[in-house]
Amino acid sequence: MENSVIIKINRLGHAGVIIIRILKAFFIFLLAVSLIGLFTWGYIPKGHVTFNFIDKIMVETDSRLESMNLLNAELGDITLNHSEETENGRIYWGEHQAYSLNDPGMLMLLLVICFAVCYVVLRYSGKLCRTIRYCRSPFDPEIINGLKKLEIAMIPWALVSVFTDLFGTVFLMKGKPSFTININQLLPILILYALLFIFQYGAQLQQESDETL
């Protein structure tokens, strides 16, 4: 009779295969759309088309705060430099250009790279799940080999995730630089790295046990 734990592991691998197939189809669609956008916008010279992204804040006060004047008040990067009377009081608003994109072709290229890297990670994840689906031991050498390949595939994903925000914001969107490293992007690699050592140690113990028997 097959071990119940192994059966659960196989079922988990089977569920992972189904989920990853759906995600792969979704990312293939996104990659195709990005490639179409790249070929469409890539022929337009830089600066010929500019997208301006505006931040806007509106503050409305009722008649009971008539003495309060918020005109020219600053809320972050936005100044409330417009004012208008309403039936119930007064409304103030201000606008600020947050980003300006004048090279949409380069943005499409950046999206293609991001989606392609994500697809590679999903591809190796799918291979690992297929191995888990039919394994007879969680410490199978094929599982350990799959973990190694997935870890290597996730390194470019982490680098792209870390630097995409900086490159897109500063060089493409002409916004304020904000170099931040999100720990959520590095944590999966660290966890996978730790799991790799655990599985390697488990495989070593299983081999010693089999040799003893």
Side-chain angles (χ1 to χ4, degrees):
M1 183 175 179
E2 196 171 7
N3 192 311
S4 61
V5 176
I6 298 299
I7 294 176
K8 291 179 181 179
I9 293 175
N10 295 152
R11 289 176 178 174
L12 184 62
H14 180 67
V17 168
I18 296 175
I19 293 172
I20 289 176
R21 282 179 180 174
I22 296 173
L23 291 175
K24 284 171 65 176
F26 177 67
F27 273 93
I28 288 175
F29 171 76
L30 293 178
L31 185 59
V33 172
S34 300
L35 285 171
I36 294 174
L38 176 61
F39 290 122
T40 302
W41 292 100
Y43 292 103
I44 301 177
K46 179 180 179 180
H48 282 219
V49 177
T50 301
F51 296 92
N52 294 315
F53 300 85
I54 307 297
D55 286 338
K56 185 175 182 179
I57 293 181
M58 299 183 67
V59 179
E60 186 173 357
T61 59
D62 60 23
S63 57
R64 291 172 295 181
L65 298 176
E66 186 177 355
S67 60
M68 179 183 293
N69 186 9
L70 297 179
L71 191 63
N72 295 324
E74 295 184 359
L75 300 175
D77 295 329
I78 300 179
T79 301
L80 301 178
N81 50 10
H82 299 281
S83 175
E84 182 179 307
E85 290 188 8
T86 62
E87 295 180 358
N88 299 323
R90 181 171 291 273
I91 186 171
Y92 302 88
W93 74 91
E95 297 178 349
H96 171 72
Q97 180 173 307
Y99 301 106
S100 177
L101 174 64
N102 61 0
D103 193 358
M106 186 60 69
L107 178 61
M108 291 295 107
L109 177 60
L110 187 63
L111 290 176
V112 168
I113 294 174
C114 292
F115 294 142
V117 169
C118 290
Y119 179 81
V120 171
V121 172
L122 289 173
R123 184 171 179 270
Y124 282 100
S125 299
K127 288 185 176 181
L128 179 60
C129 287
R130 284 194 296 271
T131 303
I132 295 175
R133 181 181 181 180
Y134 299 109
C135 73
R136 290 296 172 262
S137 170
F139 304 117
D140 192 298
E142 292 187 9
I143 294 181
I144 297 176
N145 187 41
L147 283 171
K148 289 180 180 179
K149 291 181 179 179
L150 179 58
E151 182 186 3
I152 294 174
M154 290 188 68
I155 293 176
W157 170 81
L159 293 176
V160 169
S161 300
V162 168
F163 291 103
T164 294
D165 182 62
L166 176 67
F167 182 80
T169 302
V170 178
F171 296 101
L172 291 181
M173 307 296 283
K174 308 302 179 184
K176 292 184 178 180
S178 57
F179 182 71
T180 56
I181 297 179
N182 191 349
I183 190 63
N184 295 331
Q185 298 162 346
L186 301 179
L187 192 58
I189 296 182
L190 298 178
I191 294 176
L192 192 62
Y193 195 66
L195 285 175
L196 179 59
F197 279 109
I198 293 173
F199 276 80
Q200 286 177 334
Y201 182 68
Q204 182 181 351
L205 292 179
Q206 183 175 352
Q207 183 180 359
E208 294 176 356
S209 176
D210 293 340
E211 292 176 353
T212 302
L213 295 176

